[in-house]
Amino acid sequence: MGGDYYVSLEINRNATDADIKKAKKATYDKFGEEGLKRGIPSDLGVNGAWTEGYTFHGNPEKIFRSFFGGDNPFGDFYAEDGSDIDVGFGGLCGRGMRKQDAPIERDLHLALEDLFHGCTKKMKISRRVMNEDGYTSSIKDKILSINIKPGWRQGTRIIFEKEGDQGPNCIPADIIFVVQQKNHPRFSRQEHNLIYTYDIDLEKALTSFSMEIETLDGRLLNIPVNDIVHSNYTKVVPGEGMPQSADPSCRGDLIVKFHVKFPEKLSLKGKRLIKQALTL
């Protein structure tokens, strides 16, 4: 053969399109680009579909154009709608891109005070990283810092891109932390508002009183209530709720709900006095 290399490339006229594509893929799977450079013996045909030799003159791109109809050897292996399909080339898929591992999600449990003030949480992860030789790997720890912004809500997602296990034939997974708000002993939360339930007896419900509520930042609010407290009554204190993450200077409201404790029993005299008071 001298300095020339030969690759059987001419297609039998009687072969179907499916036969042609199958033969093309089988040839490239077996020999790859190096096979095109070094040459494939002409007797390695596929069911007689390859008949004549092709002389290689040192231009693999030209070979690809002739062999596959373009510079991309994967061009025939797309779905009919144009999307990528997995052809199983050593972890490669579609147009030759590596697959990324599925995201890894972990809950991040935060106290309501953390979401009110904002804070920094440091999370230690252990992951597999590739060594310098590019073939072996080892387990190493890494610290991820999460800057919690005031006003973040339940379900907020913090994404660390490609911080998962490394491998020679994959893109590391993204690590995602999902905010989960811990239960608070005094407050519950609705969007940017804080809800507080205050216990009072029937006497206070029917007369005026004042109440003290400690806020999440340690202040003591003194709130007067001059209305009659009924079952659906609420007291709204503007601007004493949660900060908004887009603008922490803007805050929701504190909404106070009431639980009225009724006496378990009354004496005859007590009932008479109540009747007299309610008829005034």
Side-chain angles (χ1 to χ4, degrees), residues 157-224:
R157 297 163 65 86
I158 307 99
I159 302 175
F160 291 88
E161 295 183 350
K162 302 178 183 178
E163 290 291 354
D165 288 341
Q166 297 177 357
N169 295 316
C170 68
I171 299 173
D174 294 339
I175 295 180
I176 303 174
F177 292 97
V178 183
V179 170
Q180 302 294 336
Q181 179 184 300
K182 297 179 182 178
N183 291 331
H184 195 272
R186 292 180 290 120
F187 296 101
S188 60
R189 181 180 181 181
Q190 292 180 353
E191 301 294 335
H192 300 302
N193 298 326
L194 289 174
I195 312 299
Y196 185 92
T197 300
Y198 194 85
D199 292 333
I200 58 172
D201 55 31
L202 182 59
E203 175 192 352
K204 288 183 178 180
L206 298 175
T207 61
S208 60
F209 67 99
S210 63
M211 56 184 175
E212 291 185 341
I213 298 177
E214 184 181 355
T215 64
L216 289 173
D217 55 359
R219 292 176 295 114
L220 197 62
L221 299 178
N222 189 287
I223 305 169

Side-chain angles (χ1 to χ4, degrees), residues 48-60:
W50 313 98
T51 58
E52 296 182 6
Y54 181 87
T55 303
F56 176 70
H57 297 286
N59 188 338

Side-chain angles (χ1 to χ4, degrees), residues 263-275:
E264 294 183 0
K265 59 183 180 178
L266 288 171
S267 65
L268 292 175
K269 181 179 179 180
K271 292 179 181 179
R272 184 171 63 251
L273 290 174
I274 290 177
K275 286 181 180 180

Side-chain angles (χ1 to χ4, degrees), residues 97-113:
M97 299 300 291
R98 294 180 299 163
K99 284 184 177 179
Q100 184 174 20
D101 290 341
I104 301 170
E105 293 194 7
R106 293 292 182 268
D107 288 340
L108 177 63
H109 295 276
L110 297 173
L112 189 58
E113 286 84 357

